[in-house]
Structure formats: C-alpha cells, structure tokens
Amino acid sequence: MERTLLSLLLVVAIVSPAHAFRNHYRQHGRHAFTSSAIDDMIPKPLSTTNSIRGSPMPGEYVVTDYGAVGDNSTDNTAAFAKALAAANDTAGGIVFVPPGSYRFTGQLVIPTAVTLQGSFTTVPSHDAKAGHYPVDGTVLIPLADRNNEAGKPFITVGRDSTLAGVVIWHVEQGRFEPPVPYPFAVALVDENAAVKDVEILNSWNGISAVAAHRHYIARIQGQPINIGVYIDETYDIGRIEDVHFNPWWSSDVNFMYWQTTFGRSFVMGRSDWEYVFNTFSFAYAIGYHFVETSTGSMNGNFLGIGTDYACNASVQVDASQLAGLLITNGEFTAFHNTLEQHPQRLDLIAFDACDNTQVVVGKDNTGPVNFVDCSFWGPANHIARLAGNGVTTFNSCEFNGWDYLNTNQSAIYASGGTLIVQGTNFNENKPQVELEATVDKVIFLGNVGVGSENIINHGVKQVQSGFNAFD
Ligand SMILES: *[C@@H]1O[C@H](CO)[C@@H](O)[C@H](O)[C@H]1NC(C)=O
Ligand SMILES: *[C@@H]1O[C@H](CO)[C@@H](O)[C@H](O)[C@H]1NC(C)=O
Ligand SMILES: *[C@@H]1O[C@H](CO)[C@@H](O)[C@H](O)[C@H]1NC(C)=O
Ligand SMILES: *[C@@H]1O[C@H](CO)[C@@H](O)[C@H](O)[C@H]1NC(C)=O
C-alpha cells in the first residue's frame, strides 16, 4: 500500500509541469523570489526525485538558458527572442520564464505553436495603492514607446500561440499624474491566439484581438487605462471570459479624470459570434462600447457581464449586426460623477459633464439589443436612451436610481427604433418611458413599479401597454 502510493507520487513528481518549473526555478531562479514568505509557499520537491531530471523537458525552453536575467535592470529583448526562436525552430513548445523582474526596451513576438509561460497559474492582482507592487512571480516590464500609442504592441501573439502566467507592469507609468500613452501590451494577431492568467497592471491599452479568429482571452486582471480589451476583424467565434478590471494601480484624481472621461474597458468592433462571459470593470467612461469599424460591427452572447462607476454609459451601442447583442444577467452601475454630489469619492474624480446613462443606443444602430435578467442601478440620468431603428428589449430587468438630478426624467427615453419592455420592475416614482414621435413601435407588458404608470408619448401610434401593476 505504502509502496504503491510512493511510486504514484514519484510518477506525479516526474511528469508534473509544476515540478518541472520548480526544478528550473532551483537552477535558474537566483534573481527570483526574495520574499521568504512566498518561498515557503512553494511546495517542496518530493524526496530525492528532484535530481532525476536536470534539464528542461523536450519542448521546454527556459529564458535564462538564453541569457535572460530577471534582475530588474538587464534588457531582455534579445534573450527572450532567442528562446522563442529556439522553440520556433523545433516543433513549437513552452518557453518558461522563471520568477523575476524582466525589463524590455523592445518588443516580443510569440511564434506559431509557442507558449510564453510565466510562473503564475492563475491571475494575480497587485494593489499598488496599498503598497503592494509586483515584486514576486514573473514580471515583464515594457519600456518602449512611452508617449507613442501607435508603436508596436509589447507582445504579439501569433497563430496557435499563448501568453500565460505573467504580470505586465509599465513601471514608468506614474500614479499621481495624468496617464501617459503606450502601445497595446498584448496583441493577438492570428487564429487561436490566446492570452490567459495575465495581469495588465497599468497598461495604457491592454489586449487587442484583430484578425485573431477564435481568439481566447481568459482570466485577465488589472487597470488598463485607455482601452482594456479591443476586438475587431474576427470572423469566427472569439471567446472572452473572467476578466476583471479594477483601479488597483491608481485612483488619484488626476489619473482617474482621464480614465473616467475617456477610458473604455471593452471596445467591440467586428466579430461574428463573440462569446463574452463573466467580465467586470470599474470606473471608465464607457464599460462596453460596440462600435462600427472598417470591417463592421459585432453580434454575440454576453453572459454575466458588469460594469460599475461607468461615467458616460455602461453599455453604448453605436452599431450591431443583424443577429444582435444578447446580454443576460448583466449588472450595471452608471454614475453621475460630480464632486459636489460625491464628496466622499474625492479620490475618484471631479467631473461634471458626463451624461451617465446606463444604455445608449446610437442613431446609426440597426441590430437588436436584448437585455434579459439585468439589474441597473444609479445614480444615473436615464436607464436607457435609444435611437436608430433596431429593436431594444428589456425583459425581467431591475431599474433603480434614474433621474438623479430630480428633473422628472424617464427611465427609458426613445427617439427611434422599437422598444419592448416586459416583466421589469421600475423602482422609482418617476416616469417610466418617454417616446418621441419618431419611435416605430412599443410594447410595455406585465411590468411593476412604485408610483403611477407614466408613459409620456409625443405621438407614437403603435404603443401596446397592458397587464402592468403600478401604485
Ligand atoms: C518561425 O519559423 C518560421 C519558419 O519555420 C519563420 O518563417 C518565422 O519567421 C519564425 N518566426 C519567428 C518569430 O522567429
Ligand atoms: C523593480 O524596479 C521598480 C522601480 O523601477 C521597483 O519599484 C521594484 O520594486 C523593483 N522590483 C524588484 C523585484 O526589486
Ligand atoms: C464622455 O463624455 C464626455 C463629456 O461629454 C466626453 O468629453 C467624452 O469624450 C466621453 N467619452 C467617451 C469615451 O465617449
Ligand atoms: C415632477 O413631477 C411631479 C409629479 O408630477 C411634480 O409635482 C414636480 O413638480 C415635477 N418636478 C419637476 C422638476 O418638473
């Protein structure tokens, strides 16, 4: 019994990648972990099996074997390129980056079928505001193209390639002044390109996926400042899941002014059937921005998405495809973001001009926009401001905290398109809907709320309303 267990453990120890990484860490990681507390958390090798293998597994390349030094000062651009090329020259493989702080004056390209793998197997977060900087694990520090947003992305991920398990830290980005532009931290540029378990602590622009059909973006955290995730030119199902953007780097007023006035956490251009699951962002001008690019717009499935402290709009739809945007179980908080109204949030900005409407559907939109089982809470002006000629649906939703300025604004204001509202709770004693005569059709069915039913209609003929229960 004991012997069986022991040999099982030996087998696990020999084949487990974690064991392999530890092994490399022991050989190459002298610049790595300085914190003994973290050191103690690393599982110790089982008995003497560690000495069985002294070199990387086949298909595994370690950057320190190619001259990389994680000492927080050496330029590692050339050494990483060599390690990546070595994997590329064979049949692909895993290029492992032991814990350490690696600086780069240039960019990296991950070739086909290669994974650039750091020490994290799930995404960390570092609360710089609390003095918690990334000084442990694998930290990549890009230095190029400060003030040049149009420069090459720091890491380009090619076909069937992956970036995984690293922190990307722009050490030269300040915390107490307006943020400085840099190029995208990560660009997925070909089929099946993937980025997972990566912290983009303070990237100006985070991750782009353009012409990266079936891209996979998973388990990402950090505070990208200008754009978090950008999608375009995707003709086969792209996947985004478990993405969490929070102001861990800075909530300084000068810094946040920029982020909450111009920053957008998700910018969605052309994609055919994007799948987006479990994503969240805090304190941007726009949470989810659906745009028209030269290649078109998006249709897709959005499940469990959210955004808090969105200052212009939680969801803004300039354009969508015929099959539409299907948004289910969303949680959205737009903020009227003024200093007088939020003296307690001095840390988070003084800006009086933003519109803070939860859902904005623009005049050029033609596709359907469906919200099912979504909760909206303010302080916001409108829950929705709808134009264009598509159909917008709210089904089983919760509306709270609109008309923050107390001027009797309606929850939904529509100047175009068709509106369907069903089974929704209007939790303010304020008008529910205001319709300009340019609206096409409206169904308002089976809703409840406090106050009286109040649909302000400026001349829409086709309005069907019934089975509603108000006070
Ligand atoms: C990878 O190898 C291919 C040839 O097999 C070559 O065309 C390509 O440029 C290489 N990529 C990199 C980044 O070295
Ligand atoms: C690396 O340098 C930055 C400053 O440029 C510093 O804040 C950080 O603590 C350094 N990392 C380590 C591991 O010492
Ligand atoms: C947010 O609204 C402000 C004020 O109208 C505007 O200046 C800014 O460009 C908007 N931001 C975005 C991302 O549209
Ligand atoms: C809002 O509507 C209520 C009830 O109809 C009315 O008493 C109040 O004067 C209105 N307030 C404004 C600012 O129009």
Side-chain angles (χ1 to χ4, degrees), residues 85 88-89 109 111:
N88 189 39
D89 288 345
V109 176

Side-chain angles (χ1 to χ4, degrees), residues 59-298:
E60 208 180 59
Y61 305 80
V62 184
V63 290
T64 43
D65 288 345
Y66 297 83
V69 186
D71 62 356
N72 210 8
S73 70
T74 305
D75 176 16
N76 286 287
T77 313
F80 273 55
K82 266 189 228 154
L84 290 162
N88 189 39
D89 288 345
T90 55
I94 298 177
V95 174
F96 180 64
V97 189
S101 297
Y102 300 85
R103 292 191 173 227
F104 300 87
T105 59
Q107 296 80 21
L108 302 174
V109 176
I110 307 180
T112 300
V114 173
T115 295
L116 184 64
Q117 172 74 62
S119 65
F120 294 99
T121 58
T122 190
V123 59
S125 70
H126 290 87
D127 188 351
K129 301 191 311 266
H132 180 201
Y133 289 91
V135 294
D136 45 17
T138 301
V139 183
L140 308 184
I141 298 178
L143 302 168
D145 285 312
R146 181 175 165 83
N147 261 313
N148 177 24
E149 187 176 25
K152 273 193 208 153
F154 170 45
I155 300 179
T156 296
V157 185
R159 179 182 290 231
D160 305 326
S161 304
T162 304
L163 171 67
V166 302
V167 174
I168 298 176
W169 180 16
H170 288 78
V171 283
E172 294 181 348
Q173 182 68 269
R175 289 183 45 216
F176 303 104
E177 58 268 342
V180 172
Y182 281 89
F184 270 95
V186 179
L188 312 183
V189 298
D190 209 332
E191 304 192 359
N192 311 308
V195 54
K196 54 179 193 153
D197 304 309
V198 167
E199 180 182 3
I200 40 177
L201 174 61
N202 60 351
S203 302
W204 170 260
N205 288 332
I207 296 167
S208 72
V210 177
H213 318 301
R214 298 176 301 282
H215 54 253
Y216 186 58
I217 299 171
R219 299 181 303 281
I220 306 297
Q221 295 187 146
Q223 184 183 6
I225 301 153
N226 182 56
I227 293 178
V229 173
Y230 178 81
I231 306 295
D232 197 19
E233 222 182 315
T234 298
Y235 304 133
D236 195 14
I237 323 254
R239 278 78 43 91
I240 304 176
E241 61 187 48
D242 254 309
V243 176
H244 188 104
F245 295 143
N246 226 9
W248 285 302
W249 173 249
S250 174
S251 60
D252 172 77
V253 67
N254 297 302
F255 192 97
M256 287 308 274
Y257 172 82
W258 214 99
Q259 187 175 314
T260 55
T261 306
F262 302 108
R264 296 174 294 168
S265 43
F266 296 88
V267 181
M268 309 297 215
R270 169 72 181 264
S271 178
D272 302 346
W273 302 49
E274 189 75 25
Y275 279 74
V276 180
F277 171 60
N278 184 9
T279 57
F280 176 86
S281 69
F282 186 94
Y284 291 87
I286 302 177
Y288 299 82
H289 194 186
F290 296 91
V291 300
E292 177 90 26
T293 72
S294 60
T295 60
S297 63
M298 177 174 289

